Amino acid sequence: MPEETERLAADETGITRAAEILAGGQLVAFPTETVYGLGADARNGRAVAGIFEAKGRPSFNPLITHVSDVDRAREIARFPEAALPFIGNGWPAGLTLAVPLRKRSGISSLVTAGQSTVALRVPVSPVAQDLLKAFGGPIAAPSANPSGRISPTTADHVMAGLGGRIAAVLDGGMASAGLESTIIGFRDKQPVVLREGVFVVPDDLPRITMPADASGRVESPGQLASHYAPSGLVRMNVRVAAPGEWHLGFGDIRGNASLSRDGDLREAASRLFALFHEADAEGVERIAVAPIPDHDLGRAINDRLRRAAATRP
Ligand code: TXA
Ligand code: MG
């Protein structure tokens, strides 16, 4: 159902209005430090259903629930011993923990897709924090893009993808980190990485992220191939672009545009999706990306690039 999407400033008036809209069971896109989220009241099944409708997302895909602090998180889920260091050193951060849901959590089963765990995150972004406090409850929010497209890092990206399909977007400027959160789950009391992201974890932590060419039903479906793809075809580890390719540089490799001239991984992460959006807007058909070192944040960047480069369904 087409509707006028309100664009709200991230001031007291805008945040109060955004909280009212959420309380009324409608959708508000809001900034976090990772990417913009498409928020709904996590306790309201009808509101959450609206997220799937607006994104055109397959409904087996569970959503991340955002809360203001650890105490709120503990009301919703139980935290195994192995999760405690992540709460202590990790939150607030671009870190999502998949932990056992409490029986009377009040969270809609659509949010968890009926699973026994819930993915929880305490965001750093002051605007996200203000919104969570003004709303006073948990906010379910996937990235605020149509299903299968790249995540938005500005309110303009949200408007381009979902304008007319959601009640409002809260404009908090550009998302500072620019890549999604790291998702960690627990197996046999040990932490395992389910999705690479902006929260850097030790290299020796086990990964059960999906290979870039996987498809079908998976535990963390955000891992599906081409979940992070721009419209153009993507080729990785390219030092010298072929004729007709739009070259995305890094460090010494300058390219048509650069992820980071200084070879700074943080800057590169924060610019990756914005540059993909730019390429889409310019109708670029083939994108070649310079090699990105595969350590620290580079792991998450390369993960997204592999998915973007994977064969399209
Ligand atoms: O940075 C982020 O994480 C952003 C911001 C808005 O918080 N959100 C985001 O949400 O990237 P989304 O829906 O695009 O990705 C959420 C991922 C999906 O891959 C989903 O499968 C996974 O979280 N997920 C949700 N609940 C889960 C659970 N209980 N166990 C494992 N994975 C889960
Ligand atoms: Mg997403």
Side-chain angles (χ1 to χ4, degrees):
M1 5 103 245
E3 54 182 319
E4 183 94 29
T5 300
E6 284 179 54
R7 195 178 182 117
L8 305 170
D11 55 16
E12 211 179 311
T13 313
I15 285 167
T16 306
R17 173 83 189 122
E20 270 169 24
I21 294 172
L22 288 173
Q26 288 184 285
L27 308 183
V28 179
F30 65 98
T32 82
E33 70 281 11
T34 58
V35 299
Y36 273 67
L38 179 57
D41 181 347
R43 301 158 299 190
N44 178 341
R46 288 178 71 100
V48 174
I51 292 179
F52 295 105
E53 198 178 15
K55 284 185 62 110
R57 177 184 247 202
S59 55
F60 57 69
N61 203 343
L63 308 175
I64 295 176
T65 298
H66 300 69
V67 289
S68 57
D69 54 69
V70 172
D71 288 346
R72 299 288 91 70
R74 284 185 183 281
E75 291 168 8
I76 295 170
R78 287 180 291 107
F79 287 80
E81 194 73 28
L84 302 184
F86 293 101
I87 299 180
N89 305 322
W91 277 351
L95 169 66
T96 296
L97 298 176
V99 281
L101 184 68
R102 285 191 191 280
K103 277 219 171 58
R104 270 171 286 279
S105 65
I107 300 294
S108 158
S109 60
L110 252 191
V111 171
T112 54
Q115 299 190 81
S116 60
T117 56
V118 60
L120 289 174
R121 176 154 112 76
V122 177
V124 187
S125 155
V127 179
Q129 278 290 338
D130 287 349
L131 178 63
L132 283 162
K133 282 170 194 140
F135 176 58
I139 300 177
S143 50
N145 49 279
S147 188
R149 308 312 298 245
I150 32 181
S151 296
T153 56
T154 65
D156 283 345
H157 297 159
V158 175
M159 277 298 207
L162 296 175
R165 311 184 65 162
I166 62 177
V169 56
L170 190 57
D171 187 351
M174 190 170 157
S176 58
L179 272 190
E180 295 89 350
S181 62
T182 303
I183 304 181
I184 292 180
F186 301 89
R187 297 286 171 287
D188 303 324
K189 303 185 175 169
Q190 296 306 317
V192 291
V193 178
L194 300 177
R195 175 175 77 181
E196 302 279 357
V198 295
F199 183 81
V200 173
V201 294
D203 280 353
D204 61 4
L205 212 65
R207 262 76 178 170
I208 48 172
T209 58
M210 294 299 295
D213 58 357
S215 60
R217 193 184 162 132
V218 292
E219 185 168 8
S220 209
Q223 297 298 339
L224 287 183
S226 46
H227 193 80
Y228 302 96
S231 303
L233 295 177
V234 175
R235 203 158 68 87
M236 294 176 70
N237 296 315
V238 179
R239 291 182 180 279
V240 182
E245 278 182 330
W246 190 73
H247 200 192
L248 201 47
F250 179 81
D252 292 341
I253 300 176
R254 294 182 83 91
N256 300 82
S258 181
L259 285 164
S260 169
R261 289 250 154 109
D262 300 332
D264 177 35
L265 290 170
R266 259 176 194 266
E267 186 183 29
S270 74
R271 287 169 54 78
L272 178 67
F273 289 155
L275 285 165
F276 276 176
H277 279 288
E278 210 175 293
D280 274 359
E282 287 177 18
V284 169
E285 286 175 1
R286 294 193 296 139
I287 305 173
V289 187
I292 308 295
D294 203 36
H295 59 76
D296 299 312
L297 266 180
R299 288 184 71 132
I301 296 172
N302 281 323
D303 173 87
R304 299 304 184 272
L305 288 174
R306 270 192 297 277
R307 289 169 209 292
T311 318
R312 306 292 160 79

